[in-house]
Amino acid sequence: MLRGVVAQRPVGTVTRGTTNPNRLRRVDRWLAGPQAWRLRSPVRPPVVVDLGYGASPVTAVELHDRLRLVRPDVQVVGVEIDQARVEAGQALARDGLSFRRGGFEVPLPGGARATVVRAFNVLRQYDEADVADAWRTVQGRLTDDGVLVDGTSDELGRRSTWVAVDRDGPRSLTLSWRLRGMQAPSEIAERLPKVLIHRNVPGEPVHAWLAALDRAWAHAAHHGSYGARQRFLATVAALRREGWPLLDTASRWRLGEVTVAWDAVAPRPAEGQRA
Protein backbone atom coordinates (compact mmCIF):
# COMPACT_ATOMS: atom_id res chain seq x y z
CA MET A 1 0.00 0.00 0.00
CA LEU A 2 1.12 3.57 -0.57
CA ARG A 3 2.07 5.50 2.53
CA GLY A 4 -0.74 7.59 3.90
CA VAL A 5 -3.54 5.72 2.08
CA VAL A 6 -6.84 6.24 3.90
CA ALA A 7 -10.23 5.23 2.58
CA GLN A 8 -12.14 8.06 0.89
CA ARG A 9 -9.11 10.33 1.08
CA PRO A 10 -6.53 11.26 -1.55
CA VAL A 11 -4.03 8.49 -2.27
CA GLY A 12 -0.50 9.60 -1.49
CA THR A 13 1.43 11.93 0.78
CA VAL A 14 2.33 15.61 0.65
CA THR A 15 5.71 16.15 -1.04
CA ARG A 16 8.09 19.11 -0.85
CA GLY A 17 6.36 20.88 -3.71
CA THR A 18 9.35 22.84 -5.00
CA THR A 19 9.07 23.93 -8.63
CA ASN A 20 10.23 26.58 -11.09
CA PRO A 21 8.84 28.21 -14.22
CA ASN A 22 9.73 26.35 -17.41
CA ARG A 23 11.14 23.42 -15.45
CA LEU A 24 9.04 20.88 -17.34
CA ARG A 25 9.43 22.29 -20.85
CA ARG A 26 11.20 19.18 -22.10
CA VAL A 27 8.42 16.75 -21.29
CA ASP A 28 5.80 19.29 -22.45
CA ARG A 29 7.59 19.46 -25.80
CA TRP A 30 7.41 15.67 -26.02
CA LEU A 31 3.70 15.63 -25.17
CA ALA A 32 3.02 18.28 -27.82
CA GLY A 33 5.25 16.47 -30.32
CA PRO A 34 5.37 12.68 -30.74
CA GLN A 35 2.53 12.20 -28.23
CA ALA A 36 0.21 14.80 -29.78
CA TRP A 37 -1.85 12.05 -31.44
CA ARG A 38 -3.25 11.19 -28.02
CA LEU A 39 -4.71 14.68 -27.78
CA ARG A 40 -6.00 14.84 -31.33
CA SER A 41 -7.71 11.43 -31.38
CA PRO A 42 -10.58 11.89 -28.88
CA VAL A 43 -13.87 13.30 -30.14
CA ARG A 44 -14.48 14.95 -26.78
CA PRO A 45 -12.00 17.40 -25.26
CA PRO A 46 -9.12 15.35 -23.83
CA VAL A 47 -8.31 15.66 -20.12
CA VAL A 48 -4.68 16.14 -19.12
CA VAL A 49 -3.71 16.01 -15.45
CA ASP A 50 -0.73 17.72 -13.84
CA LEU A 51 -0.48 15.44 -10.82
CA GLY A 52 1.36 16.85 -7.82
CA TYR A 53 2.17 20.23 -9.38
CA GLY A 54 3.61 21.52 -6.12
CA ALA A 55 3.58 24.73 -4.15
CA SER A 56 3.15 26.85 -7.28
CA PRO A 57 0.63 26.07 -10.06
CA VAL A 58 2.98 27.45 -12.71
CA THR A 59 3.65 24.07 -14.35
CA ALA A 60 -0.09 23.46 -14.83
CA VAL A 61 -0.51 26.89 -16.41
CA GLU A 62 2.43 26.26 -18.74
CA LEU A 63 1.09 22.81 -19.64
CA HIS A 64 -2.24 24.31 -20.66
CA ASP A 65 -0.54 27.03 -22.70
CA ARG A 66 1.51 24.49 -24.60
CA LEU A 67 -1.08 21.80 -25.19
CA ARG A 68 -3.89 24.07 -26.33
CA LEU A 69 -1.70 24.85 -29.34
CA VAL A 70 -2.19 21.16 -30.24
CA ARG A 71 -5.80 20.84 -29.12
CA PRO A 72 -7.53 24.17 -28.30
CA ASP A 73 -10.25 22.53 -26.23
CA VAL A 74 -7.88 20.48 -24.05
CA GLN A 75 -8.87 20.37 -20.39
CA VAL A 76 -5.91 20.58 -18.01
CA VAL A 77 -6.56 19.72 -14.38
CA GLY A 78 -3.99 20.42 -11.69
CA VAL A 79 -4.34 17.82 -8.93
CA GLU A 80 -2.66 18.31 -5.55
CA ILE A 81 -3.03 16.49 -2.27
CA ASP A 82 -2.36 19.68 -0.28
CA GLN A 83 -5.53 21.78 -0.03
CA ALA A 84 -3.56 25.02 0.40
CA ARG A 85 -1.85 24.40 -2.94
CA VAL A 86 -5.21 23.76 -4.59
CA GLU A 87 -6.51 27.07 -3.25
CA ALA A 88 -3.41 28.86 -4.56
CA GLY A 89 -4.12 27.44 -8.01
CA GLN A 90 -7.71 28.63 -8.07
CA ALA A 91 -6.61 32.21 -8.68
CA LEU A 92 -5.18 31.10 -12.03
CA ALA A 93 -8.09 28.88 -13.09
CA ARG A 94 -9.57 29.73 -16.49
CA ASP A 95 -11.47 28.09 -19.32
CA GLY A 96 -9.71 24.77 -19.87
CA LEU A 97 -7.65 24.95 -16.66
CA SER A 98 -8.91 23.91 -13.24
CA PHE A 99 -7.54 22.66 -9.92
CA ARG A 100 -8.72 19.85 -7.62
CA ARG A 101 -7.60 18.13 -4.46
CA GLY A 102 -6.53 14.54 -4.90
CA GLY A 103 -3.72 12.07 -5.33
CA PHE A 104 -2.92 9.00 -7.39
CA GLU A 105 -6.61 8.12 -7.61
CA VAL A 106 -6.87 11.11 -10.03
CA PRO A 107 -10.34 12.40 -9.10
CA LEU A 108 -12.08 13.99 -12.09
CA PRO A 109 -15.62 15.34 -12.44
CA GLY A 110 -18.17 12.71 -13.35
CA GLY A 111 -15.61 9.95 -13.08
CA ALA A 112 -13.92 11.08 -16.31
CA ARG A 113 -10.69 9.39 -17.33
CA ALA A 114 -7.45 11.13 -18.25
CA THR A 115 -5.73 11.02 -21.62
CA VAL A 116 -2.45 12.12 -20.03
CA VAL A 117 -1.32 12.16 -16.41
CA ARG A 118 1.97 13.97 -15.98
CA ALA A 119 3.51 13.21 -12.56
CA PHE A 120 6.88 14.92 -12.34
CA ASN A 121 9.20 15.02 -9.33
CA VAL A 122 6.50 13.29 -7.29
CA LEU A 123 7.37 9.60 -7.01
CA ARG A 124 11.01 10.57 -6.68
CA GLN A 125 10.11 11.46 -3.09
CA TYR A 126 8.57 8.04 -2.37
CA ASP A 127 10.17 4.68 -1.71
CA GLU A 128 10.95 2.55 -4.74
CA ALA A 129 8.58 -0.10 -3.39
CA ASP A 130 5.68 2.37 -3.71
CA VAL A 131 6.09 2.97 -7.44
CA ALA A 132 4.30 -0.09 -8.82
CA ASP A 133 1.26 0.53 -6.61
CA ALA A 134 1.10 4.18 -7.64
CA TRP A 135 1.39 3.26 -11.30
CA ARG A 136 -1.43 0.73 -11.04
CA THR A 137 -3.68 3.26 -9.33
CA VAL A 138 -3.14 5.86 -12.06
CA GLN A 139 -3.39 3.29 -14.87
CA GLY A 140 -6.92 2.56 -13.72
CA ARG A 141 -7.81 6.21 -14.34
CA LEU A 142 -6.50 6.39 -17.93
CA THR A 143 -8.47 6.28 -21.16
CA ASP A 144 -7.83 3.31 -23.43
CA ASP A 145 -5.09 5.23 -25.27
CA GLY A 146 -4.01 7.25 -22.24
CA VAL A 147 -0.53 7.52 -20.75
CA LEU A 148 1.04 8.21 -17.38
CA VAL A 149 4.31 10.14 -17.63
CA ASP A 150 6.35 9.52 -14.48
CA GLY A 151 9.45 11.67 -14.55
CA THR A 152 12.10 13.71 -12.86
CA SER A 153 13.93 16.90 -13.78
CA ASP A 154 16.57 19.12 -12.29
CA GLU A 155 15.55 22.45 -10.84
CA LEU A 156 16.08 24.40 -14.07
CA GLY A 157 14.82 21.73 -16.45
CA ARG A 158 18.18 21.21 -18.14
CA ARG A 159 18.12 17.46 -17.53
CA SER A 160 14.94 15.44 -17.51
CA THR A 161 13.90 11.79 -17.69
CA TRP A 162 10.55 10.07 -17.83
CA VAL A 163 8.86 6.69 -18.18
CA ALA A 164 5.74 6.40 -20.35
CA VAL A 165 3.22 4.00 -18.81
CA ASP A 166 0.00 3.03 -20.59
CA ARG A 167 -2.85 0.87 -19.32
CA ASP A 168 -0.80 -2.27 -19.98
CA GLY A 169 2.41 -1.14 -18.36
CA PRO A 170 5.62 0.84 -18.95
CA ARG A 171 6.55 1.34 -22.61
CA SER A 172 9.60 3.57 -22.83
CA LEU A 173 12.24 5.63 -21.09
CA THR A 174 13.10 9.08 -22.43
CA LEU A 175 16.23 11.04 -21.54
CA SER A 176 16.57 14.72 -22.38
CA TRP A 177 19.64 16.93 -21.90
CA ARG A 178 20.75 20.49 -22.43
CA LEU A 179 23.64 19.48 -24.67
CA ARG A 180 25.75 22.59 -24.25
CA GLY A 181 28.35 21.96 -21.58
CA MET A 182 27.53 18.26 -21.20
CA GLN A 183 30.62 16.23 -20.38
CA ALA A 184 29.02 12.78 -20.50
CA PRO A 185 25.42 11.56 -21.02
CA SER A 186 25.52 9.57 -17.77
CA GLU A 187 25.47 12.86 -15.85
CA ILE A 188 21.71 12.48 -16.11
CA ALA A 189 21.78 9.41 -13.84
CA GLU A 190 20.98 11.47 -10.74
CA ARG A 191 17.68 12.46 -12.39
CA LEU A 192 16.47 8.99 -13.31
CA PRO A 193 12.88 8.19 -12.26
CA LYS A 194 12.49 6.49 -8.91
CA VAL A 195 11.88 3.11 -10.52
CA LEU A 196 15.40 3.24 -12.02
CA ILE A 197 17.57 5.56 -9.96
CA HIS A 198 18.72 2.85 -7.55
CA ARG A 199 19.28 0.41 -10.42
CA ASN A 200 22.16 2.29 -11.99
CA VAL A 201 24.64 -0.36 -10.90
CA PRO A 202 26.61 -2.99 -12.83
CA GLY A 203 24.39 -5.86 -13.95
CA GLU A 204 21.29 -3.72 -14.38
CA PRO A 205 20.05 -2.83 -17.90
CA VAL A 206 19.78 0.91 -17.24
CA HIS A 207 23.43 0.95 -16.17
CA ALA A 208 24.36 -0.75 -19.43
CA TRP A 209 22.31 1.83 -21.37
CA LEU A 210 24.04 4.79 -19.73
CA ALA A 211 27.44 3.14 -20.20
CA ALA A 212 26.67 2.60 -23.90
CA LEU A 213 25.71 6.27 -24.22
CA ASP A 214 28.98 7.35 -22.61
CA ARG A 215 31.06 5.08 -24.89
CA ALA A 216 29.32 6.28 -28.02
CA TRP A 217 29.65 9.91 -26.88
CA ALA A 218 33.39 9.43 -26.36
CA HIS A 219 33.79 7.77 -29.76
CA ALA A 220 31.92 10.66 -31.39
CA ALA A 221 34.27 13.28 -29.92
CA HIS A 222 35.58 14.26 -33.35
CA HIS A 223 32.08 15.47 -34.26
CA GLY A 224 32.35 18.01 -31.45
CA SER A 225 34.10 20.48 -33.74
CA TYR A 226 30.70 20.87 -35.43
CA GLY A 227 28.91 21.41 -32.13
CA ALA A 228 27.37 19.36 -29.34
CA ARG A 229 24.25 18.65 -31.38
CA GLN A 230 26.18 16.97 -34.18
CA ARG A 231 28.13 14.96 -31.65
CA PHE A 232 24.92 13.81 -30.01
CA LEU A 233 23.36 12.88 -33.35
CA ALA A 234 26.38 10.72 -34.12
CA THR A 235 26.23 9.20 -30.63
CA VAL A 236 22.62 8.08 -30.86
CA ALA A 237 22.95 6.91 -34.47
CA ALA A 238 25.80 4.64 -33.36
CA LEU A 239 23.65 3.16 -30.60
CA ARG A 240 20.91 2.39 -33.10
CA ARG A 241 23.45 0.57 -35.27
CA GLU A 242 24.49 -1.42 -32.20
CA GLY A 243 20.92 -2.67 -31.93
CA TRP A 244 19.51 -0.58 -29.09
CA PRO A 245 15.69 -0.40 -29.57
CA LEU A 246 15.28 3.34 -30.02
CA LEU A 247 11.72 4.55 -30.55
CA ASP A 248 12.42 7.95 -32.04
CA THR A 249 14.36 9.54 -34.89
CA ALA A 250 16.90 12.28 -35.54
CA SER A 251 14.19 14.94 -35.30
CA ARG A 252 14.07 14.25 -31.55
CA TRP A 253 17.80 13.62 -31.15
CA ARG A 254 18.43 17.14 -32.44
CA LEU A 255 16.63 18.37 -29.34
CA GLY A 256 18.96 16.45 -27.03
CA GLU A 257 16.35 13.75 -26.47
CA VAL A 258 16.31 9.99 -26.99
CA THR A 259 13.66 7.37 -26.20
CA VAL A 260 14.45 3.69 -25.71
CA ALA A 261 12.03 0.78 -25.34
CA TRP A 262 11.31 -0.09 -21.71
CA ASP A 263 12.29 -3.73 -22.14
CA ALA A 264 15.88 -2.62 -22.79
CA VAL A 265 16.23 -0.80 -19.46
CA ALA A 266 13.67 -2.38 -17.12
CA PRO A 267 14.97 -3.39 -13.67
CA ARG A 268 15.98 -6.98 -13.30
CA PRO A 269 13.56 -8.93 -11.10
CA ALA A 270 14.81 -9.84 -7.66
CA GLU A 271 16.13 -13.35 -7.23
CA GLY A 272 13.23 -15.77 -7.07
CA GLN A 273 10.82 -13.19 -8.49
CA ARG A 274 9.12 -13.63 -11.84
CA ALA A 275 10.17 -11.35 -14.70
Side-chain angles (χ1 to χ4, degrees):
M1 294 290 289
L2 291 172
R3 292 171 296 166
V5 173
V6 180
Q8 306 303 316
R9 292 186 179 179
V11 179
T13 58
V14 177
T15 55
R16 289 188 297 274
T18 55
T19 190
N20 280 308
N22 224 22
R23 183 180 186 181
L24 304 186
R25 62 190 179 277
R26 294 181 179 277
V27 66
D28 288 357
R29 182 175 61 190
W30 181 77
L31 289 170
Q35 300 300 306
W37 64 272
R38 298 183 191 273
L39 303 175
R40 296 189 178 110
S41 297
V43 175
R44 295 182 176 180
V47 178
V48 175
V49 173
D50 188 7
L51 181 60
Y53 55 83
S56 167
V58 62
T59 58
V61 174
E62 292 173 340
L63 183 63
H64 186 233
D65 286 341
R66 289 160 178 159
L67 296 190
R68 65 181 174 178
L69 297 176
V70 176
R71 179 76 185 246
D73 61 352
V74 66
Q75 301 293 304
V76 172
V77 182
V79 174
E80 248 296 341
I81 200 167
D82 186 336
Q83 182 61 34
R85 296 173 185 175
V86 176
E87 292 172 1
Q90 299 296 356
L92 296 175
R94 62 193 184 197
D95 186 29
L97 175 63
S98 60
F99 296 88
R100 295 176 65 86
R101 183 169 185 252
F104 295 114
E105 80 284 4
V106 190
L108 294 172
R113 294 181 181 273
T115 298
V116 176
V117 175
R118 187 189 67 179
F120 250 68
N121 303 305
V122 176
L123 282 169
R124 178 179 176 83
Q125 300 178 56
Y126 283 72
D127 293 333
E128 183 181 350
D130 293 332
V131 173
D133 197 18
W135 280 5
R136 280 191 295 269
T137 302
V138 177
Q139 284 172 279
R141 303 297 302 131
L142 297 175
T143 59
D144 290 343
D145 59 357
V147 65
L148 160 66
V149 187
D150 170 17
T152 303
S153 68
D154 66 10
E155 288 75 9
L156 297 179
R158 294 178 177 179
R159 299 173 186 166
S160 191
T161 72
W162 57 90
V163 180
V165 184
D166 65 18
R167 286 175 63 90
D168 294 322
R171 294 302 177 196
S172 63
L173 170 70
T174 300
L175 308 179
S176 182
W177 300 257
R178 181 179 184 268
L179 296 177
R180 185 182 303 171
M182 183 174 76
Q183 299 301 308
S186 63
E187 293 169 354
I188 207 168
E190 64 183 13
R191 296 298 170 177
L192 287 171
K194 191 67 176 191
V195 69
L196 292 174
I197 194 167
H198 302 302
R199 303 306 184 101
N200 184 29
V201 294
E204 285 284 348
V206 72
H207 182 272
W209 169 233
L210 292 176
L213 277 163
D214 278 356
R215 285 195 303 271
W217 177 256
H219 291 162
H222 59 288
H223 290 275
S225 59
Y226 301 103
R229 178 179 295 174
Q230 292 303 313
R231 185 176 179 181
F232 189 72
L233 284 167
T235 295
V236 183
L239 293 173
R240 170 159 282 170
R241 290 193 298 272
E242 288 179 15
W244 285 93
L246 306 185
L247 303 182
D248 50 10
T249 63
S251 64
R252 305 306 299 179
W253 309 343
R254 289 180 182 278
L255 301 174
E257 176 184 303
V258 63
T259 297
V260 64
W262 178 251
D263 289 347
V265 295
R268 294 191 184 280
E271 187 175 350
Q273 179 181 347
R274 287 188 177 183

